[in-house]
Amino acid sequence: MTGYDAAEGLTPYRDDSGYGAILFDRARVQQAAPDWFTPGYWGAQARPVDSGGRGGAWFVDAPFGQAVLRRYLRGGLVARFNRDLYWWRGGERTRSFAEFRLTREAARRGLPVPAPIAALYRREGLRYRAAILVARLDGVRSLADRAAVAGDGAPWEETGRLIARCHRAGLDHADLNATNLLFDPAGRGWVIDLDRGQFRIPATGWRERNLARLKRSLLKLRGQRPVAEVERDFARLRTAYDRAWERGY
């Protein structure tokens, strides 16, 4: 995680349920408020995101532009009794602040990621809740959606080159799945949801884990497509990835 810089604003706050802070981009907003991270505050200007993730995400039409509001939610068995609380280990180590700064660093390194707008944590005793606002990408669809509709016409080669580019920059995506890769009609791609990711020295182990995670998600989300078809398309992606990696970009 990168440290504080002059382009960041930091606003502490306290409310009835606890206290916390908001980290925000001064170039996008002059000040940030806790209410921004509550969908109800936006009323009809907030619409649930209906694909990908675990829920807990909304498209927001805000004065500072179109954005995506995402709450940090747990998955797996633990979500049955703890949906959104995480152990407190300090404000700088909250999921929201870490992702905000990682995404800013990814953009600084020239990677195609949505611009982070603001990140919030609210501490409640020894645990906390968190949320983040990022800029919405216009006219994009996920690789999962594109594969379901277009099959072998989905941007497989573009995906391979995009991932190689991220790996070359050292971005280890903690959840590289087919819903976290977005493409516009022209084939330009973006990587989203960098929660728990990190920058590392490029190495075979974590790069292969990223690719294996993506392949599992494509198989899981294949719908009516035969497994053999998904395997063939992933081979196209992998070939493009290997070629891009060997060329150094």
Side-chain angles (χ1 to χ4, degrees):
M1 180 175 65
T2 58
Y4 174 83
D5 65 46
E8 294 178 353
L10 183 65
T11 299
Y13 72 91
R14 183 179 293 275
D15 58 23
D16 293 340
S17 60
Y19 68 91
I22 305 170
L23 187 65
F24 60 94
D25 182 353
R26 291 181 183 274
R28 291 185 168 267
V29 295
Q30 294 183 343
Q31 191 54 269
D35 287 345
W36 288 6
F37 299 86
T38 303
Y41 170 79
W42 300 105
Q45 303 305 309
R47 304 176 303 283
V49 176
D50 58 6
S51 65
R54 300 168 180 153
W58 295 263
F59 295 127
V60 175
D61 295 325
F64 46 79
Q66 292 190 326
V68 177
L69 167 62
R70 191 177 83 247
R71 294 170 54 204
Y72 289 82
L73 300 178
R74 291 185 175 275
L77 295 176
V78 70
R80 296 181 180 179
F81 57 89
N82 177 10
R83 185 64 170 147
D84 61 357
L85 286 168
Y86 298 87
W87 289 110
W88 175 256
R89 296 187 296 167
E92 298 302 305
R93 300 180 68 182
T94 56
R95 302 276 284 266
S96 53
F97 277 28
E99 183 175 358
F100 180 96
R101 287 178 167 148
L102 181 68
T103 306
R104 280 176 59 87
E105 177 62 17
R108 189 191 69 79
R109 297 190 187 197
L111 298 180
V113 294
I117 299 170
L120 166 144
Y121 72 78
R122 175 181 284 106
R123 185 176 178 183
E124 301 174 17
L126 295 178
R127 298 190 289 183
Y128 74 93
R129 291 183 168 92
I132 192 169
L133 278 161
V134 300
R136 182 178 178 182
L137 301 170
D138 189 39
V140 296
R141 297 178 65 184
S142 72
L143 178 63
D145 289 342
R146 293 284 297 273
V149 173
D152 61 3
W156 301 112
E157 285 79 10
E158 292 86 348
T159 301
R161 290 189 287 268
L162 172 62
I163 298 170
R165 178 181 173 188
C166 292
H167 284 176
R168 181 63 65 183
L171 179 60
D172 179 2
H173 197 296
D175 188 18
L176 189 65
N177 65 59
T179 62
N180 287 334
L181 298 167
L182 306 182
F183 293 87
D184 66 16
R188 182 183 177 189
W190 285 266
V191 181
I192 65 169
D193 193 357
L194 304 190
D195 179 32
R196 297 180 293 114
Q198 58 183 310
F199 278 104
R200 309 173 63 177
I201 296 173
T204 300
W206 66 260
R207 291 192 296 114
E208 292 296 335
R209 285 193 293 272
N210 277 195
L211 290 164
R213 173 71 183 91
L214 176 58
K215 184 177 181 179
R216 289 195 301 272
S217 78
L218 288 167
L219 289 168
K220 180 179 179 181
L221 300 171
R222 73 182 189 276
Q224 300 300 313
R225 301 180 68 214
V227 170
E229 187 175 306
V230 177
E231 295 273 3
R232 180 201 63 200
D233 291 335
F234 185 81
R236 291 172 55 190
L237 181 159
R238 182 61 198 249
T239 297
Y241 172 92
D242 290 337
R243 288 174 177 168
W245 180 261
E246 289 169 2
R247 294 171 182 167
Y249 61 88

